[in-house]
Amino acid sequence: MHETARARIPAQKVLRHSVRGQVLDALRAALVDGDLVPGEIYSGPALGERFGVSATPVREAMQQLALEGAVECLPNRGFRVLTRTPGAMAELAEVRALLEVPVMLRLARTVPSEVWAAMRPAAAATVEAAEAGDLAGYAEADRRFHREVLALAGNAQLLQVAEELHRRAQWPLPGAARTPRAVLVAEAGEHTALLEALVAGDLALSDSLIHAHAHP
């Protein structure tokens, strides 16, 4: 593993319980934050040293990331973070819109206002993370909000596919500047505005906001 790449991974200790899950969460956050750099190779032992754990849970977590399309396994070398292109990210956005928009439009017409009102804490969590400039925290809150909305459709397969697409769409492009806090705040505000339109039963505004949020 390159020393410059190692330096970008913040040193932190991982508690011993649920080690693999904690390492996986930490690596996912590092992907979103840009601490795991596209094109760089990372070894299990070196990352384990950074997290204060053995190489085994790191390798297990990395194998999960490989299944998710974030890294590729390099026998006897480690794991390379895959490089994404603007075209690939645009394709992800298109697929997400094709999948989520029809479902959300249907839900807007069938879900009672009190159910939408109960989702205000999830929307507020995205605003809180955005205002703090917490990229990884915002990414998690954003996925949680969308997951709660789509869960109303009662389709487990939809949730699984949408979650994977959403996670992939949050990985930054190589060399991309850190997402400004103002952009995060604006995106989080869209959640709040949409939710309030749904609570109010304003279908015209809800439809407009759903399309706008899916096609920024």
Side-chain angles (χ1 to χ4, degrees), residues 94-107:
E94 181 180 10
V95 173
R96 283 191 64 206
L98 290 170
L99 182 69
E100 295 186 25
V101 169
V103 175
M104 293 181 69
L105 292 175
R106 173 167 57 84
L107 292 173

Side-chain angles (χ1 to χ4, degrees), residues 1-212:
M1 172 176 153
H2 300 299
E3 288 302 319
T4 55
R6 287 185 61 182
R8 293 189 180 98
I9 306 297
Q12 53 185 298
K13 294 293 183 181
V14 177
L15 298 177
R16 293 298 171 181
H17 64 280
S18 304
V19 174
R20 176 187 174 279
Q22 291 184 63
V23 170
L24 180 58
D25 288 343
L27 291 173
R28 283 172 170 165
L31 278 170
V32 173
D33 284 333
D35 292 324
L36 284 177
V37 182
E40 294 284 3
I41 298 173
Y42 298 87
S43 72
L47 287 175
E49 181 180 347
R50 301 293 295 183
F51 291 128
V53 300
S54 70
T56 299
V58 174
R59 292 193 180 103
E60 291 173 347
M62 279 293 199
Q63 287 165 359
Q64 176 60 37
L65 290 179
L67 293 175
E68 295 174 3
V71 303
E72 63 176 334
C73 301
L74 302 176
N76 302 318
R77 297 182 65 191
F79 303 86
R80 177 187 288 121
V81 180
L82 294 178
T83 300
R84 294 159 295 284
T85 66
M89 298 298 278
E91 289 174 355
L92 274 173
E94 181 180 10
V95 173
R96 283 191 64 206
L98 290 170
L99 182 69
E100 295 186 25
V101 169
V103 175
M104 293 181 69
L105 292 175
R106 173 167 57 84
L107 292 173
R109 286 159 173 75
T110 57
V111 174
S113 61
E114 59 268 23
V115 175
W116 294 121
M119 292 188 180
R120 283 176 172 144
T126 69
V127 174
E128 181 179 354
E131 290 179 343
D134 180 1
L135 281 180
Y138 177 78
E140 176 58 33
D142 184 37
R143 287 195 309 276
R144 187 184 310 119
F145 175 79
H146 281 258
R147 185 166 60 245
E148 286 194 18
V149 171
L150 294 176
L152 298 175
N155 188 323
Q157 298 302 315
L158 167 69
L159 278 181
Q160 181 177 347
V161 173
E163 176 87 0
E164 180 178 350
L165 290 173
H166 198 164
R167 193 181 296 280
R168 292 187 182 207
Q170 292 175 325
W171 302 333
L173 291 168
R178 185 179 178 85
T179 304
R181 174 181 171 276
V183 172
L184 296 180
V185 171
E187 290 182 357
E190 293 177 4
H191 296 151
T192 301
L194 172 58
L195 205 55
E196 292 309 317
L198 291 166
V199 170
D202 189 334
L203 292 179
L205 180 56
S206 297
D207 287 5
S208 175
L209 291 172
I210 288 170
H211 283 289

